[in-house]
Amino acid sequence: MPDSHEYDDGNLLLETAKPKVKPPKRYQVVLLNDDYTPMDFVVEVLQRFFGMDEMKASAVMLAVHHDGKGVCGVFSREVAEMKVQQVNQYSRQHKHPLMCQLEVA
Ligand code: TYC
């Protein structure tokens, strides 16, 4: 049996190609409020892991304190997962219940 391409009648068939790559999803790293983690510790976490200066970190910490949760940053999945793990591990090491989680942006 010959290959099907040998039956090619020479007509060019043009189809609209579907885009092969979608833009990568972005992931929000979200900090949750709790009643026990000291405010200073949250500010330190935001500076250490998210590169915020003290003013920005204080503003984000207070927003989380008042609203229940808040976005620390938006990253690729790999980077967001790493930040969540680092923040949660750092908080456990310091015996604070501070929780950080990942959400699709
Ligand atoms: N609510 C905490 C307190 O009053 C402070 C706090 C802010 C804790 C933000 C967690 O993600 C947080 N000490």
Short mmCIF file of all heavy atoms in Angstrom, two decimals, residues 9-52:
data_model
loop_
_atom_site.label_atom_id
_atom_site.label_comp_id
_atom_site.label_asym_id
_atom_site.label_seq_id
_atom_site.Cartn_x
_atom_site.Cartn_y
_atom_site.Cartn_z
N ASP A 9 -3.09 15.36 -4.88
CA ASP A 9 -3.49 15.81 -6.22
C ASP A 9 -2.93 17.19 -6.55
O ASP A 9 -3.29 17.78 -7.56
CB ASP A 9 -5.02 15.80 -6.36
CG ASP A 9 -5.68 16.78 -5.41
OD1 ASP A 9 -4.95 17.52 -4.70
OD2 ASP A 9 -6.93 16.81 -5.37
N GLY A 10 -2.07 17.70 -5.69
CA GLY A 10 -1.42 18.96 -6.00
C GLY A 10 -2.18 20.19 -5.53
O GLY A 10 -1.64 21.29 -5.55
N ASN A 11 -3.44 19.99 -5.11
CA ASN A 11 -4.16 21.16 -4.58
C ASN A 11 -3.64 21.52 -3.20
O ASN A 11 -3.35 20.65 -2.37
CB ASN A 11 -5.66 20.87 -4.48
CG ASN A 11 -6.30 20.84 -5.84
OD1 ASN A 11 -5.87 21.54 -6.75
ND2 ASN A 11 -7.33 20.01 -5.99
N LEU A 12 -3.55 22.79 -2.97
CA LEU A 12 -3.06 23.25 -1.67
C LEU A 12 -4.27 23.47 -0.77
O LEU A 12 -5.21 24.18 -1.13
CB LEU A 12 -2.31 24.57 -1.89
CG LEU A 12 -1.31 24.98 -0.84
CD1 LEU A 12 -0.27 23.90 -0.61
CD2 LEU A 12 -0.66 26.28 -1.26
N LEU A 13 -4.26 22.83 0.35
CA LEU A 13 -5.36 23.00 1.30
C LEU A 13 -4.91 23.93 2.42
O LEU A 13 -3.96 23.63 3.13
CB LEU A 13 -5.76 21.63 1.87
CG LEU A 13 -6.90 21.65 2.88
CD1 LEU A 13 -8.19 22.15 2.22
CD2 LEU A 13 -7.12 20.26 3.45
N LEU A 14 -5.57 25.04 2.50
CA LEU A 14 -5.18 25.99 3.55
C LEU A 14 -6.22 25.96 4.66
O LEU A 14 -7.41 26.07 4.41
CB LEU A 14 -5.11 27.41 2.97
CG LEU A 14 -4.01 27.64 1.93
CD1 LEU A 14 -4.09 29.06 1.40
CD2 LEU A 14 -2.64 27.38 2.54
N GLU A 15 -5.74 25.76 5.86
CA GLU A 15 -6.63 25.81 7.02
C GLU A 15 -6.09 26.84 7.99
O GLU A 15 -4.90 27.07 8.04
CB GLU A 15 -6.68 24.45 7.73
CG GLU A 15 -7.40 23.40 6.93
CD GLU A 15 -7.36 22.05 7.64
OE1 GLU A 15 -6.86 21.99 8.78
OE2 GLU A 15 -7.81 21.08 7.03
N THR A 16 -7.00 27.41 8.73
CA THR A 16 -6.56 28.32 9.77
C THR A 16 -5.95 27.50 10.90
O THR A 16 -6.62 26.62 11.45
CB THR A 16 -7.75 29.13 10.33
OG1 THR A 16 -8.47 29.67 9.23
CG2 THR A 16 -7.29 30.27 11.21
N ALA A 17 -4.70 27.75 11.19
CA ALA A 17 -4.04 26.99 12.25
C ALA A 17 -4.48 27.51 13.61
O ALA A 17 -4.60 28.72 13.82
CB ALA A 17 -2.54 27.12 12.11
N LYS A 18 -4.76 26.58 14.50
CA LYS A 18 -5.03 26.98 15.89
C LYS A 18 -3.72 27.41 16.52
O LYS A 18 -2.69 26.77 16.26
CB LYS A 18 -5.58 25.79 16.69
CG LYS A 18 -7.06 25.61 16.57
CD LYS A 18 -7.55 24.71 17.70
CE LYS A 18 -8.85 24.04 17.34
NZ LYS A 18 -8.98 22.72 17.93
N PRO A 19 -3.74 28.44 17.34
CA PRO A 19 -2.48 28.83 18.01
C PRO A 19 -1.96 27.63 18.81
O PRO A 19 -2.72 26.99 19.53
CB PRO A 19 -2.88 29.97 18.93
CG PRO A 19 -4.28 30.33 18.58
CD PRO A 19 -4.87 29.26 17.72
N LYS A 20 -0.69 27.32 18.64
CA LYS A 20 -0.15 26.11 19.29
C LYS A 20 0.23 26.37 20.73
O LYS A 20 0.28 25.47 21.54
CB LYS A 20 1.06 25.63 18.52
CG LYS A 20 0.70 25.04 17.16
CD LYS A 20 1.71 23.96 16.76
CE LYS A 20 1.35 23.32 15.44
NZ LYS A 20 1.56 24.21 14.28
N VAL A 21 0.55 27.61 21.03
CA VAL A 21 0.94 27.90 22.42
C VAL A 21 0.02 28.95 23.00
O VAL A 21 -0.30 29.94 22.36
CB VAL A 21 2.40 28.37 22.53
CG1 VAL A 21 3.36 27.24 22.24
CG2 VAL A 21 2.67 29.55 21.61
N LYS A 22 -0.44 28.66 24.21
CA LYS A 22 -1.23 29.66 24.93
C LYS A 22 -0.27 30.42 25.84
O LYS A 22 0.73 29.85 26.27
CB LYS A 22 -2.29 28.97 25.80
CG LYS A 22 -3.32 28.23 24.99
CD LYS A 22 -4.41 27.71 25.93
CE LYS A 22 -5.23 26.64 25.27
NZ LYS A 22 -5.23 25.36 26.01
N PRO A 23 -0.60 31.66 26.15
CA PRO A 23 0.25 32.37 27.12
C PRO A 23 0.21 31.61 28.45
O PRO A 23 -0.84 31.12 28.84
CB PRO A 23 -0.40 33.75 27.24
CG PRO A 23 -1.75 33.64 26.62
CD PRO A 23 -1.72 32.48 25.69
N PRO A 24 1.34 31.50 29.13
CA PRO A 24 1.36 30.74 30.37
C PRO A 24 0.46 31.38 31.43
O PRO A 24 0.34 32.60 31.48
CB PRO A 24 2.83 30.79 30.81
CG PRO A 24 3.42 31.94 30.08
CD PRO A 24 2.63 32.10 28.81
N LYS A 25 -0.19 30.53 32.22
CA LYS A 25 -1.01 31.07 33.31
C LYS A 25 -0.11 31.75 34.33
O LYS A 25 1.05 31.36 34.50
CB LYS A 25 -1.76 29.93 34.01
CG LYS A 25 -2.93 29.42 33.23
CD LYS A 25 -3.75 28.45 34.09
CE LYS A 25 -4.82 27.79 33.27
NZ LYS A 25 -4.90 26.34 33.52
N ARG A 26 -0.67 32.72 35.01
CA ARG A 26 0.07 33.41 36.07
C ARG A 26 -0.55 33.04 37.40
O ARG A 26 -1.75 32.77 37.49
CB ARG A 26 0.01 34.93 35.86
CG ARG A 26 0.44 35.33 34.46
CD ARG A 26 1.92 35.15 34.21
NE ARG A 26 2.69 36.18 34.90
CZ ARG A 26 4.00 36.09 35.12
NH1 ARG A 26 4.66 35.02 34.77
NH2 ARG A 26 4.64 37.06 35.72
N TYR A 27 0.25 33.01 38.41
CA TYR A 27 -0.20 32.53 39.73
C TYR A 27 0.05 33.60 40.79
O TYR A 27 1.16 34.10 40.91
CB TYR A 27 0.52 31.23 40.08
CG TYR A 27 0.13 30.11 39.14
CD1 TYR A 27 0.69 30.00 37.88
CD2 TYR A 27 -0.86 29.21 39.50
CE1 TYR A 27 0.30 29.00 37.00
CE2 TYR A 27 -1.26 28.20 38.62
CZ TYR A 27 -0.67 28.11 37.37
OH TYR A 27 -1.07 27.13 36.51
N GLN A 28 -1.01 33.88 41.55
CA GLN A 28 -0.91 34.84 42.64
C GLN A 28 -0.46 34.12 43.91
O GLN A 28 -0.99 33.06 44.23
CB GLN A 28 -2.28 35.45 42.94
CG GLN A 28 -2.81 36.34 41.85
CD GLN A 28 -4.18 36.88 42.18
OE1 GLN A 28 -4.90 36.32 43.00
NE2 GLN A 28 -4.53 37.98 41.55
N VAL A 29 0.50 34.73 44.58
CA VAL A 29 0.83 34.26 45.92
C VAL A 29 0.04 35.12 46.89
O VAL A 29 0.16 36.35 46.89
CB VAL A 29 2.34 34.36 46.19
CG1 VAL A 29 2.66 34.00 47.64
CG2 VAL A 29 3.11 33.45 45.23
N VAL A 30 -0.81 34.46 47.67
CA VAL A 30 -1.76 35.15 48.54
C VAL A 30 -1.41 34.88 50.00
O VAL A 30 -1.14 33.74 50.39
CB VAL A 30 -3.20 34.66 48.23
CG1 VAL A 30 -4.20 35.22 49.22
CG2 VAL A 30 -3.59 35.02 46.81
N LEU A 31 -1.41 35.94 50.79
CA LEU A 31 -1.15 35.83 52.22
C LEU A 31 -2.48 35.90 52.97
O LEU A 31 -3.34 36.72 52.63
CB LEU A 31 -0.25 37.01 52.63
CG LEU A 31 0.66 36.85 53.83
CD1 LEU A 31 1.58 35.66 53.66
CD2 LEU A 31 1.46 38.13 54.04
N LEU A 32 -2.66 35.02 53.97
CA LEU A 32 -3.91 34.99 54.73
C LEU A 32 -3.71 35.62 56.10
O LEU A 32 -2.65 35.46 56.72
CB LEU A 32 -4.37 33.54 54.91
CG LEU A 32 -4.55 32.72 53.62
CD1 LEU A 32 -5.03 31.32 53.95
CD2 LEU A 32 -5.52 33.41 52.66
N ASN A 33 -4.72 36.29 56.57
CA ASN A 33 -4.66 36.86 57.92
C ASN A 33 -4.85 35.77 58.96
O ASN A 33 -5.42 34.70 58.68
CB ASN A 33 -5.75 37.92 58.09
CG ASN A 33 -5.61 38.67 59.40
OD1 ASN A 33 -4.50 38.92 59.86
ND2 ASN A 33 -6.73 39.02 60.01
N ASP A 34 -4.32 35.99 60.13
CA ASP A 34 -4.62 35.15 61.30
C ASP A 34 -4.51 36.05 62.52
O ASP A 34 -4.10 37.20 62.40
CB ASP A 34 -3.66 33.95 61.37
CG ASP A 34 -2.24 34.39 61.64
OD1 ASP A 34 -1.93 34.79 62.79
OD2 ASP A 34 -1.41 34.37 60.70
N ASP A 35 -4.90 35.52 63.68
CA ASP A 35 -4.95 36.36 64.88
C ASP A 35 -3.64 36.37 65.67
O ASP A 35 -3.53 37.12 66.65
CB ASP A 35 -6.07 35.88 65.82
CG ASP A 35 -7.45 36.13 65.22
OD1 ASP A 35 -7.55 37.00 64.33
OD2 ASP A 35 -8.40 35.45 65.64
N TYR A 36 -2.67 35.55 65.28
CA TYR A 36 -1.51 35.33 66.16
C TYR A 36 -0.16 35.80 65.61
O TYR A 36 0.73 36.14 66.40
CB TYR A 36 -1.42 33.84 66.51
CG TYR A 36 -2.70 33.33 67.12
CD1 TYR A 36 -3.59 32.56 66.38
CD2 TYR A 36 -3.04 33.65 68.44
CE1 TYR A 36 -4.78 32.10 66.92
CE2 TYR A 36 -4.22 33.21 69.00
CZ TYR A 36 -5.09 32.43 68.24
OH TYR A 36 -6.28 32.00 68.78
N THR A 37 0.01 35.76 64.29
CA THR A 37 1.33 36.14 63.74
C THR A 37 1.57 37.63 63.99
O THR A 37 0.72 38.46 63.67
CB THR A 37 1.39 35.85 62.23
OG1 THR A 37 1.07 34.48 62.01
CG2 THR A 37 2.78 36.15 61.68
N PRO A 38 2.72 37.97 64.59
CA PRO A 38 3.00 39.40 64.85
C PRO A 38 3.11 40.19 63.53
O PRO A 38 3.64 39.69 62.54
CB PRO A 38 4.35 39.37 65.56
CG PRO A 38 4.54 37.98 66.05
CD PRO A 38 3.79 37.10 65.10
N MET A 39 2.61 41.40 63.56
CA MET A 39 2.67 42.26 62.37
C MET A 39 4.09 42.43 61.86
O MET A 39 4.33 42.41 60.64
CB MET A 39 2.05 43.63 62.68
CG MET A 39 0.55 43.56 62.88
SD MET A 39 -0.13 45.21 63.16
CE MET A 39 -1.89 44.85 63.05
N ASP A 40 5.03 42.60 62.79
CA ASP A 40 6.45 42.78 62.40
C ASP A 40 6.97 41.59 61.60
O ASP A 40 7.77 41.76 60.68
CB ASP A 40 7.34 42.94 63.64
CG ASP A 40 7.20 44.31 64.27
OD1 ASP A 40 6.48 45.14 63.68
OD2 ASP A 40 7.79 44.53 65.34
N PHE A 41 6.53 40.39 62.00
CA PHE A 41 7.00 39.19 61.29
C PHE A 41 6.46 39.17 59.86
O PHE A 41 7.18 38.83 58.92
CB PHE A 41 6.56 37.93 62.05
CG PHE A 41 7.06 36.67 61.40
CD1 PHE A 41 8.36 36.23 61.60
CD2 PHE A 41 6.22 35.91 60.59
CE1 PHE A 41 8.82 35.06 61.00
CE2 PHE A 41 6.67 34.74 59.97
CZ PHE A 41 7.98 34.31 60.18
N VAL A 42 5.20 39.55 59.69
CA VAL A 42 4.60 39.57 58.35
C VAL A 42 5.34 40.59 57.46
O VAL A 42 5.66 40.31 56.30
CB VAL A 42 3.09 39.90 58.42
CG1 VAL A 42 2.48 39.94 57.02
CG2 VAL A 42 2.36 38.90 59.30
N VAL A 43 5.64 41.74 58.04
CA VAL A 43 6.39 42.77 57.28
C VAL A 43 7.76 42.22 56.88
O VAL A 43 8.20 42.40 55.73
CB VAL A 43 6.53 44.07 58.12
CG1 VAL A 43 7.49 45.05 57.46
CG2 VAL A 43 5.15 44.71 58.32
N GLU A 44 8.41 41.52 57.80
CA GLU A 44 9.73 40.95 57.49
C GLU A 44 9.63 39.91 56.35
O GLU A 44 10.48 39.90 55.45
CB GLU A 44 10.31 40.28 58.74
CG GLU A 44 11.77 39.90 58.58
CD GLU A 44 12.14 38.63 59.32
OE1 GLU A 44 11.66 38.44 60.45
OE2 GLU A 44 12.89 37.82 58.73
N VAL A 45 8.59 39.08 56.40
CA VAL A 45 8.38 38.06 55.36
C VAL A 45 8.20 38.73 53.98
O VAL A 45 8.78 38.30 52.98
CB VAL A 45 7.15 37.18 55.70
CG1 VAL A 45 6.63 36.44 54.48
CG2 VAL A 45 7.51 36.20 56.82
N LEU A 46 7.40 39.78 53.96
CA LEU A 46 7.13 40.46 52.68
C LEU A 46 8.40 41.10 52.12
O LEU A 46 8.62 41.11 50.90
CB LEU A 46 6.02 41.49 52.86
CG LEU A 46 4.64 40.87 53.10
CD1 LEU A 46 3.63 41.93 53.56
CD2 LEU A 46 4.11 40.18 51.84
N GLN A 47 9.25 41.60 53.00
CA GLN A 47 10.52 42.18 52.54
C GLN A 47 11.48 41.08 52.08
O GLN A 47 12.11 41.18 51.03
CB GLN A 47 11.17 42.98 53.67
CG GLN A 47 10.39 44.24 54.03
CD GLN A 47 11.08 45.04 55.12
OE1 GLN A 47 11.85 45.95 54.84
NE2 GLN A 47 10.83 44.69 56.35
N ARG A 48 11.57 40.03 52.87
CA ARG A 48 12.55 38.96 52.61
C ARG A 48 12.22 38.16 51.35
O ARG A 48 13.12 37.89 50.55
CB ARG A 48 12.59 38.02 53.83
CG ARG A 48 13.53 36.83 53.70
CD ARG A 48 13.43 35.92 54.92
NE ARG A 48 13.99 36.53 56.10
CZ ARG A 48 15.22 36.28 56.56
NH1 ARG A 48 15.99 35.43 55.94
NH2 ARG A 48 15.66 36.88 57.64
N PHE A 49 10.97 37.81 51.18
CA PHE A 49 10.62 36.88 50.08
C PHE A 49 10.01 37.58 48.86
O PHE A 49 9.92 36.99 47.79
CB PHE A 49 9.66 35.80 50.57
CG PHE A 49 10.29 34.89 51.60
CD1 PHE A 49 9.99 35.02 52.95
CD2 PHE A 49 11.21 33.93 51.21
CE1 PHE A 49 10.58 34.19 53.90
CE2 PHE A 49 11.81 33.09 52.15
CZ PHE A 49 11.50 33.23 53.50
N PHE A 50 9.57 38.83 49.04
CA PHE A 50 8.92 39.51 47.90
C PHE A 50 9.60 40.83 47.55
O PHE A 50 9.08 41.59 46.72
CB PHE A 50 7.43 39.70 48.20
CG PHE A 50 6.72 38.39 48.40
CD1 PHE A 50 6.52 37.88 49.68
CD2 PHE A 50 6.30 37.63 47.31
CE1 PHE A 50 5.92 36.65 49.88
CE2 PHE A 50 5.68 36.40 47.50
CZ PHE A 50 5.50 35.92 48.77
N GLY A 51 10.75 41.07 48.17
CA GLY A 51 11.57 42.24 47.79
C GLY A 51 10.90 43.58 48.02
O GLY A 51 11.26 44.56 47.37
N MET A 52 9.92 43.62 48.93
CA MET A 52 9.25 44.91 49.18
C MET A 52 10.08 45.77 50.12
O MET A 52 10.75 45.23 51.01
CB MET A 52 7.86 44.68 49.81
CG MET A 52 6.90 43.94 48.92
SD MET A 52 5.30 43.70 49.74
CE MET A 52 4.57 42.47 48.66
#
